[in-house]
Amino acid sequence: MSTPPPPQGQNPFAQGQPQAPYPPQQGAMPYAPVPEQPRRKITFKLVKNVVIVLAVAGAAIGGYIASRDDANTAAVGDCMHRGSGNDSNPDLEVVECSSSNAQYIVLAKVEGTFTSLTADSKCEEKAKDFQYSYTETGDGSNFLLCLKDYSK
């Protein structure tokens, strides 16, 4: 036994419901007005987060600026200043040759890894009148600086 198809225009699942939509009411707005959104208050948490972000950004920028004068940025002819009396970490930084801090001048810069013995022999090869050799390894930049005292 089969069921007859529903009559055209009728929903077979809408039992007992009116078949036409309710007529629109006269004078009614199609939607309610949106109330004005309240302004956000500046909270302690927001201020704290902004201060943290600014502090981290300031530290990153300061670190970048401080590292620009490190020995790894030195080139032949640059003047250097020794920031530390520690021979194993002299903390060399690039300075203007007109500065009173200028102590050494770079005679040669050689990329690679060197021991103290190979550094001196490489500096003798590259710059006959060198007085000091400085090697740095790590951070992806291994190099040798051949230096001599700077006299103005």
Side-chain angles (χ1 to χ4, degrees):
M1 172 178 233
S2 67
T3 58
Q8 288 290 36
Q10 290 185 2
N11 183 351
F13 302 107
Q15 297 175 359
Q17 295 180 358
Q19 297 301 317
Y22 293 109
Q25 296 178 355
Q26 295 294 330
M29 295 180 67
Y31 57 88
V34 177
E36 185 176 325
Q37 297 294 321
R39 300 194 103 191
R40 279 193 158 185
K41 294 180 182 178
I42 297 177
T43 63
F44 175 75
K45 185 177 180 181
L46 175 65
V47 171
K48 180 184 76 166
N49 289 340
V50 168
V51 168
I52 289 172
V53 167
L54 291 176
V56 169
I61 291 169
Y64 170 74
I65 290 171
S67 70
R68 289 187 313 158
D69 295 333
D70 286 348
N72 62 350
T73 63
V76 174
D78 283 348
C79 289
M80 306 291 292
H81 171 73
R82 182 179 181 147
S84 167
N86 183 352
D87 285 340
S88 62
N89 185 14
D91 192 26
L92 290 178
E93 63 180 21
V94 176
V95 295
E96 293 291 326
C97 290
S98 59
S99 167
S100 62
N101 288 336
Q103 295 173 297
Y104 311 105
I105 188 164
V106 178
L107 301 177
K109 182 174 183 178
V110 183
E111 300 295 324
T113 304
F114 301 91
T115 65
S116 60
L117 181 62
T118 59
D120 287 345
S121 65
K122 186 56 112 173
C123 280
E124 285 175 4
E125 178 185 315
K126 295 288 184 179
K128 300 285 185 215
D129 57 343
F130 91 99
Q131 294 172 312
Y132 313 102
S133 61
Y134 171 80
T135 60
E136 189 169 303
T137 58
D139 297 336
S141 62
N142 301 334
F143 62 91
L144 160 70
L145 295 178
C146 304
L147 307 168
K148 80 172 190 175
D149 288 327
Y150 179 71
S151 58
K152 295 177 186 177

